[in-house]
């Protein structure tokens, strides 16, 4: 039986539903050997800046120290029962107006994390920014506003409305380009859900994964991941929450990573205690299908191998 480890865990410090202690108790009950906490964080920015386009889901700046203190407390309380690690799902965001957040160990050193997960949720455009995993109706509105063409008017005047169609190819490019920039500029251990752009694709038909241009974007991103020498997580969070019946990365993406000898781990991206090990069996199957025989986790300042 493959030992259970999860390093992508959210709690009530950000947008999770359970406290860190409840997550630890659930992990012990489910037979985990290690659990890592990865609160959403957009340090050093104040997450209030995006509340007009999305709900607040990062740890408020004033609470980051409290989060780190609580995880360190749990490490001591549960020593000998389960290994507990402090991490962050560190956001990549760059804006001339709001500033920059780079998933870099230098930026997080004051909190003494055991590891960092680098993540892209925000995409910047010349017209503004949006989050790719927002509700389908909100994401559609954003894509029309930022990637649509002006709707034709019978009187020849533009009234500010956009065409219902949008440029899906540019949407995909901007998302993966943001990831590639994060991989160049950041310094982190694990890349989160590397093709998160797929999350609303079934509902919105943004792109076709079989198109050559889409595959070229994925290939370029796989190359960047390999060059950055980071671990890629096989993320089961979309399955657990019913937003997509598949893991991240896709079967095609995962095969490219195996060809490039990129190490992988399995993370649930759990926002509830019951989903800590959601779809782990399916993730193991996908890893084996791609050719992987082991999972790699950054634990205790070194990489730990788990055979599958």
């Amino acid at each position: 039986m493959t030992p259970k480890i999860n390093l992508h865990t959210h709690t009530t410090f950000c947008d999770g539903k359970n406290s860190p202690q409840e997550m630890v108790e659930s992990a012990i009950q489910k037979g985990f050997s290690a659990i890592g906490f990865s609160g959403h964080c957009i340090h050093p920015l104040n997450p209030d800046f995006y509340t007009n386009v999305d709900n607040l889901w990062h740890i408020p700046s004033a609470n980051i120290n409290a989060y780190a203190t609580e995880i360190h407390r749990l490490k001591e309380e549960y020593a000998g029962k389960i290994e507990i690690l402090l991490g962050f799902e560190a956001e990549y965001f760059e804006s001339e107006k709001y500033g920059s957040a780079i998933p870099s160990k230098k930026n997080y050193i004051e909190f003494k994390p055991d590891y960092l997960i680098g993540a892209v949720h925000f995409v910047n455009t010349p017209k503004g920014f949006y989050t790719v995993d927002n509700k389908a109706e909100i994401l559609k509105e954003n894509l029309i506003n930022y990637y649509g063409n002006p709707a034709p008017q019978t009187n020849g005047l533009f009234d500010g409305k956009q065409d219902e169609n949008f440029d899906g190819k540019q949407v995909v490019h901007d998302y993966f380009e943001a990831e590639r920039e994060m991989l160049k500029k950041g310094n982190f251990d694990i890349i989160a859900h590397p093709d998160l752009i797929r999350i609303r694709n079934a509902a919105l038909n943004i792109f076709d994964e079989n198109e050559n241009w889409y595959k070229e974007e994925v290939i370029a991103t796989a190359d960047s991941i390999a060059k950055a020498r980071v671990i890629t997580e096989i993320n089961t969070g979309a399955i657990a929450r019913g937003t997509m019946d598949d893991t991240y990365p896709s079967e095609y993406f995962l095969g490219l990573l195996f060809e490039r000898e990129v190490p992988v781990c399995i993370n649930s991206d759990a926002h509830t205690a019951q989903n800590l090990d959601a779809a782990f069996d399916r993730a193991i199957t996908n890893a084996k299908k791609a050719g992987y025989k082991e999972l790699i986790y950054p634990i205790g300042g070194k990489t730990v191998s788990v055979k599958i």
Side-chain angles (χ1 to χ4, degrees):
M1 182 177 177
T2 303
K4 285 185 182 178
I5 298 172
N6 183 61
L7 300 186
H8 195 152
T9 312
H10 298 289
T11 71
T12 48
F13 274 98
C14 54
D15 60 346
K17 305 302 180 186
N18 293 97
S19 70
Q21 185 145 10
E22 288 171 335
M23 286 294 200
V24 170
E25 291 286 352
S26 179
I28 292 171
Q29 185 179 15
K30 290 175 177 290
F32 278 78
S33 60
I35 180 172
F37 290 93
S38 56
H40 287 292
C41 200
I42 196 161
H43 183 71
L45 303 182
N46 184 337
D48 286 338
F49 79 85
Y50 67 79
T51 53
N52 62 325
V53 297
D54 204 346
N55 293 326
L56 184 63
W57 39 279
H58 289 89
I59 303 173
S61 300
N63 295 350
I64 299 177
N65 278 314
Y67 163 74
T69 298
E70 174 63 3
I71 305 308
H72 284 300
R73 182 190 72 80
L74 293 172
K75 283 187 182 189
E76 294 183 12
E77 181 176 342
Y78 289 89
K81 295 181 180 179
I82 187 171
E83 185 155 12
I84 296 174
L85 298 100
L86 169 65
F88 292 90
E89 184 173 7
E91 192 72 49
Y92 173 75
F93 181 82
E94 291 194 279
S95 163
E96 290 184 5
K97 181 176 181 180
Y98 298 103
S100 298
I102 308 292
S104 168
K105 293 178 181 179
K106 179 180 66 175
N107 290 344
Y108 283 80
I109 193 169
E110 64 185 288
F111 309 114
K112 300 179 181 178
D114 296 302
Y115 66 96
L116 288 183
I117 298 177
V120 170
H121 296 86
F122 291 98
V123 174
N124 273 297
T125 78
K127 297 180 180 179
F129 66 87
Y130 66 97
T131 52
V132 298
D133 58 342
N134 213 324
K135 294 177 181 179
E137 61 272 20
I138 297 175
L139 178 58
K140 181 180 179 180
E141 181 181 349
N142 285 329
L143 297 185
I144 291 171
N145 286 339
Y146 298 147
Y147 296 97
N149 297 313
Q153 303 296 310
T154 54
N155 60 6
L157 299 175
F158 174 50
D159 62 5
K161 293 182 179 179
Q162 297 289 89
D163 194 331
E164 284 288 308
N165 296 312
F166 50 80
D167 187 348
K169 188 173 181 179
Q170 189 64 45
V171 171
V172 169
H173 173 77
D174 287 356
Y175 167 76
F176 282 120
E177 182 63 20
E179 278 203 333
R180 293 190 287 265
E181 286 297 308
M182 175 182 72
L183 288 158
K184 279 189 223 173
K185 298 174 181 178
N187 175 19
F188 51 93
D189 302 284
I190 301 170
I191 182 169
H193 37 60
D195 48 3
L196 182 64
I197 191 66
R198 296 165 61 225
I199 191 170
R200 305 297 181 195
N201 196 39
L204 301 181
N205 194 28
I206 304 168
F207 55 90
D208 182 348
E209 290 186 47
N210 295 311
E211 291 276 0
N212 286 335
W213 65 262
Y214 178 81
K215 291 182 177 180
E216 288 170 3
E217 290 286 353
V218 174
I219 290 169
T221 306
D223 288 340
S224 292
I225 292 172
K227 186 175 182 180
R229 301 179 67 82
V230 297
I231 300 166
T232 299
E233 66 172 13
I234 303 175
N235 184 308
T236 64
I239 299 173
R241 293 191 287 278
T243 51
M244 185 178 69
D245 187 27
D246 199 5
T247 59
Y248 310 103
S250 67
E251 180 180 334
Y252 174 71
F253 202 159
L254 194 55
L256 293 172
L257 295 173
F258 178 74
E259 290 174 2
R260 288 156 177 76
E261 300 182 343
V262 173
V264 297
C265 65
I266 292 173
N267 284 330
S268 63
D269 197 350
H271 286 66
T272 64
Q274 73 178 74
N275 285 334
L276 270 171
D277 56 356
F280 268 31
D281 289 346
R282 187 165 172 184
I284 290 172
T285 297
N286 289 355
K288 288 180 176 179
K289 189 174 181 180
Y292 287 98
K293 294 181 172 59
E294 66 176 357
L295 306 173
I296 301 294
Y297 295 88
I299 295 177
K302 60 183 181 180
T303 54
V304 173
S305 171
V306 174
K307 301 297 180 183
I308 56 175

